[in-house]
Amino acid sequence: MCRPTDSGPEALPSVPHQYWIIHGATYDLASYIKSHPGGDEAILLGRGRDCTELFEQYHVLNNKHLRVLERFRVTLPAAKVASNNLKEEDMVSTISALEGEEADAAAVVGIQQPAAPARVAHQTDPFYEDIKAMVRAHGNTKMSAPFVILHCLHVVGLVWAMKLWWQGTFMSAFILPYFLWVLCAAMVHDGGHFAHSKRPLVNKLLTHAGALFTNSVGCWYLQHNILHHSYTNLVGMDGDLDSHHPYMRIHPEQSMLPANIHHAVRLVSHLVMYNFAHIGLTMVSPISYFRGVAAQKKGTASAKQAQDAQTVAQYHGTVMLQLVTVLAFYITPFLRFDFSRALLLTLFPTFMMSIAFMVIAQVSHIQLDAEAPSADLEKLHWARRMALTSVDYSQSSPLWAYLTIGLNMQSLHHIVPGVSYSQLPALYPAYRAICEKHGIKLLERRNLGHAFWTHLQTLWVLSKTHSFAEVARKLA
């Protein structure tokens, strides 16, 4: 849920909201928003914050963006935050030295002073350079033709399911969540990562259409694209970790729930809450956003609350529209049918969508071997961190890519989110070879069942122990 909180890094960019911080430098891209090839929603994600990881993740096909970016650099003393270690004269000189579209990005990206802090988001890494070369060699990064045809058929299926739901048929409670997941959730996830099409308008329309009954676009952008994809499994920074706590403990660095609650009760309560995740995405997130805006107006918001509220406010209209459609979904059946049938038509799709999201999405990150001390993870280049904080399974199967909307290959998806999930099975063998070349051990499971079992083991351990040391003793 996109809950603006007080948690997060102590050092926040002290720049006005109209600026972007990339590789430690400050840019005023306001005049470039309408001209941005990836669309306005993509570029607005980084406004008012350090968006280095986002910038890198979505610019893999060439280096044109580096030359374009330099036209908008501004000198702003207040923008010198703890992670700003880029020498401006070095950036200018290396930009001018670029020759041709495919010049080595290492000449520009990641120039860092020797006395750098632990976080190395601004450094370059040969592993990520090989990943970019792999994607460029692959060619098509957007949705493949077979998946486009499949989604068109799903539209017909969704309309049919919605018609049955409107008529109050028992079967619609089971059919509707299937199409909401394989079509709407896929549209929001791939479209929200600007991976459906090369045309920004297509990505925008599909994302907002799919989000009407699945989640709030603005809140999703904040929690998923920005906080989760930039800071995966970093406590206090990853929106997915923080949105569940203190109700659910899913990382060893998080505080325990009340000691007077038996650990078995904690685990069962955790799994019960999985059934309501969809309500969090569709209703709690927008409400949390409005609370953050109210706190900002009152002057009681923390720096991070204000920053997050400003980010979501850029998509205020979509938040309002999605909230209206979701309320209509939950209210309409009670106006048309008896209480028991209305309960079935609202709660069962909610439970199914919640379980699909939590099981398929969370098993990839809430794993003991994917969770390490945040201070250690921050010492890694962000691309290596993505590879080491995600569990993959059934990677060669287009069927499982379809059923999980590509979330069975989370480590690769996190490094190149702008690549459609329909392309990931073809890319994965080359990706595995690159990981082996650079000494990165992929975290793999045989299938979803295996991944879910080790996920349950993780939850069980976390319900009983307090720290990484205690977790290690439990596993010894």
Side-chain angles (χ1 to χ4, degrees), residues 105-126:
V108 176
V109 177
I111 304 167
Q112 195 172 31
Q113 295 182 26
R119 188 162 177 261
V120 292
H122 303 157
Q123 292 179 342
T124 191
D125 190 281

Side-chain angles (χ1 to χ4, degrees), residues 104-181:
D104 185 7
V108 176
V109 177
I111 304 167
Q112 195 172 31
Q113 295 182 26
R119 188 162 177 261
V120 292
H122 303 157
Q123 292 179 342
T124 191
D125 190 281
F127 168 66
Y128 184 52
E129 296 305 311
D130 283 350
I131 293 293
K132 290 192 288 187
M134 174 193 73
V135 174
R136 293 170 184 176
H138 180 72
N140 183 24
T141 61
K142 304 309 178 185
M143 183 159 285
S144 63
F147 273 76
V148 171
I149 296 172
L150 189 60
H151 280 337
C152 290
L153 295 175
H154 285 158
V155 171
V156 177
L158 179 63
V159 171
W160 172 61
M162 289 297 295
K163 180 181 178 181
L164 294 178
W165 181 84
W166 179 259
Q167 294 172 346
T169 61
F170 176 81
M171 183 171 58
S172 67
F174 298 87
I175 298 175
L176 182 59
Y178 170 77
F179 285 109
L180 287 177
W181 175 256

Side-chain angles (χ1 to χ4, degrees), residues 173-247:
F174 298 87
I175 298 175
L176 182 59
Y178 170 77
F179 285 109
L180 287 177
W181 175 256
V182 298
L183 176 63
C184 294
M187 288 167 58
V188 172
H189 190 252
D190 240 25
H193 284 300
F194 323 106
H196 271 308
S197 170
K198 294 179 180 179
R199 299 179 181 273
L201 182 59
V202 174
N203 289 321
K204 189 173 186 176
L205 290 176
L206 292 178
T207 301
H208 289 269
L212 290 177
F213 297 105
T214 55
N215 54 32
S216 176
V217 172
C219 293
W220 177 257
Y221 279 153
L222 172 63
Q223 178 178 328
H224 186 72
N225 292 50
I226 299 174
L227 300 180
H228 176 58
H229 267 263
S230 297
Y231 313 113
T232 308
N233 278 8
L234 296 181
V235 174
M237 301 173 74
D238 183 348
D240 279 6
L241 290 180
D242 297 338
S243 65
H244 300 299
H245 191 260
Y247 312 109

Side-chain angles (χ1 to χ4, degrees), residues 245-299:
H245 191 260
Y247 312 109
M248 295 185 286
R249 183 175 187 253
I250 54 180
H251 193 282
E253 290 181 359
Q254 292 177 330
S255 59
M256 289 288 293
L257 297 177
N260 60 342
I261 300 177
H262 193 273
H263 62 85
V265 176
R266 294 191 191 115
L267 177 62
V268 172
S269 301
H270 188 137
L271 296 177
V272 169
M273 292 188 70
Y274 271 21
N275 293 282
F276 299 95
H278 187 63
I279 294 177
L281 290 170
T282 56
M283 299 185 69
V284 177
S285 287
I287 293 172
S288 299
Y289 156 63
F290 294 132
R291 290 176 59 190
V293 171
Q296 188 179 16
K297 289 182 178 179
K298 293 178 181 178

Side-chain angles (χ1 to χ4, degrees), residues 22-24 50-54 56 83 85 109-112 116-125 128 230-231 377-383 385:
I22 303 171
H23 293 300
D50 186 333
C51 56
T52 301
E53 286 89 346
L54 285 172
E56 286 295 319
S83 60
N85 295 282
V109 177
I111 304 167
Q112 195 172 31
R119 188 162 177 261
V120 292
H122 303 157
Q123 292 179 342
T124 191
D125 190 281
Y128 184 52
S230 297
Y231 313 113
L377 288 176
E378 287 187 274
K379 296 176 183 178
L380 301 174
H381 182 269
W382 69 266
R385 174 162 30 94

